[in-house]
């Protein structure tokens, strides 16, 4: 029987960034196989050409070797090498019925975890072993819940098929799209996704969410010509200046009257020394809107600004999409099923009628959209988990009492759908 506290703490100690979740995915594959699931992973579970924001080959290989050093099964991760860290486990019931999918994300964040004495993982000696990486968004809890659900359902009789989707690279909204493009969701009739925490206390469950924004993450590269900044400045083409011109104009794009919008240049890098005209600069930009159409329009404005800023300074440029998500629309009858199945779970004290609200972005949105386009139904739920610090904070942690609540909630939903 799985010890979910030990499992969660082990995953917390070994946080892996998007598309480098080799050790985590190896544990998922081993556990699912031991429970009798049919398992696909690696290139069988994700479309390589559709992955967004893939790390460099150097980072992928270093992370692969680190996973081996920390106990990953070489026979399993060998088939994931190069960033193919998606896993899908399928269990078929004794009678025919619908296909139900649950999705769980696995990746961590590039954050240095706190080692202050009041930080719970520090107190109990399970802080991150991988410097600069941290589970600061509860995905260690999501993976743990997923494997706990796998164990619970392996002991049940049901009609139909259960599909457990373990997704890489949710951070930066990068991994779900490639699994959708692989066709993993094409046979799914019902899809339930969930997130721990989100400023909801332990013991409170929401059957749906509203407010999630469409977003596009862009990387822009400006290429100029290096030259001596004192002797021959006129012979240079300043890539950093072109990028800075773009930055200021991107942030001057107006807000929209038709709905909430966001825009941010989060990274601007360039230059090597004070006396050298910078020949290369790099920007990371995000757009967001509650409207998919408005987000696309803002993205196009950003691209136009980049084009003309580069032209002003005689630069070459390139823009690539490194992440994206669309708005989430939950099916009301799935929200109701989730709420009804939450009643009576030990530790649950509040089941609000209203959906939870968030203005973040979530790439599970592509999975929900695909299921709904094919005539199926879906929802995105919130599992309350009291947090001592906000998501993406060095002192973020989850209250572990939320883990068995999440497992039991998914189990009950499965039995309701597949009875």
């Amino acid at each position: 029987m799985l010890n979910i506290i030990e499992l969660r703490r082990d995953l917390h100690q070994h946080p892996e960034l998007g598309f480098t979740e080799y050790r985590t995915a190896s544990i998922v594959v081993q556990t699912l196989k031991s429970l009798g699931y049919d398992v696909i992973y690696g290139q069988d579970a994700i479309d390589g050409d559709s992955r967004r924001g893939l790390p460099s080959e150097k980072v992928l290989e270093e992370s692969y070797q680190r996973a081996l050093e920390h106990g990953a099964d070489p026979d399993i991760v060998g088939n994931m090498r190069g960033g193919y860290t998606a896993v899908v486990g399928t269990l078929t019931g004794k009678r025919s019925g619908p296909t139900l999918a649950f999705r769980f994300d696995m990746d961590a964040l590039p954050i240095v975890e706190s080692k202050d004495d009041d930080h719970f993982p520090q107190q109990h000696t399970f802080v991150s072993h991988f410097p600069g990486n941290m589970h600061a968004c509860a995905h260690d809890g999501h993976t743990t819940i997923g494997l706990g659900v796998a164990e619970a359902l392996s002991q049940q009789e049901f009609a139909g098929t259960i599909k457990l989707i373990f997704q890489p690279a949710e951070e930066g909204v990068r991994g779900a799209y490639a699994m959708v493009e692989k066709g993993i969701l094409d046979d799914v009739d019902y899809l339930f996704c969930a997130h721990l925490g989100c400023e909801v206390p332990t013991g409170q469950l929401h059957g749906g969410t509203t407010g999630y924004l469409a977003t596009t993450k862009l990387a822009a590269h400006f290429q100029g010509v290096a030259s001596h900044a004192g002797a021959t400045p006129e012979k240079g083409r300043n890539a950093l200046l072109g990028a800075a011109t773009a930055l200021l104009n991107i942030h001057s794009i107006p807000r929209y009257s038709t709905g909430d919008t966001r825009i941010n240049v989060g990274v601007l890098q360039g230059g090597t020394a004070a006396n050298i005209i910078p020949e290369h600069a790099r920007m990371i930009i995000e757009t967001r809107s509650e409207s998919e159409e408005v987000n696309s329009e803002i993205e196009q404005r950003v691209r136009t600004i980049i084009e003309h800023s580069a032209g002003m300074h005689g630069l070459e440029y390139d823009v690539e999409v490194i992440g994206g998500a669309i708005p989430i629309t939950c099916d009301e009858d799935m929200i109701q099923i989730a709420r009804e199945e939450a009643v009576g779970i030990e530790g649950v004290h509040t089941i609000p009628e209203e959906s939870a609200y968030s203005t973040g972005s979530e790439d599970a949105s592509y999975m929900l959209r695909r299921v709904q386009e094919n005539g199926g139904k879906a929802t995105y739920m919130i599992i309350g988990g009291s947090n001592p610090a906000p998501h993406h904070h060095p002192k973020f942690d989850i209250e572990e009492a939320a883990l068995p609540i999440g497992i039991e909630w998914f189990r009950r939903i499965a039995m309701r759908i597949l009875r």
Side-chain angles (χ1 to χ4, degrees), residues 69-83:
E69 293 168 6
H70 285 264
D73 186 324
D75 292 333
I76 293 174
V77 297
N79 291 321
M80 299 177 180
R81 201 169 191 166

Side-chain angles (χ1 to χ4, degrees), residues 85-123:
T85 46
V87 182
V88 181
T90 302
L91 196 63
T92 303
K94 293 183 178 179
R95 302 183 306 280
S96 61
T99 295
L100 168 67
F102 296 149
R103 173 269 200 175
F104 309 97
D105 41 11
M106 302 183 289
D107 57 322
L109 285 154
I111 293 175
V112 177
E113 184 165 11
S114 171
K115 292 191 177 180
D116 289 351
D117 291 340
D118 61 348
H119 183 48
F120 186 81
Q122 172 69 13
Q123 293 173 352

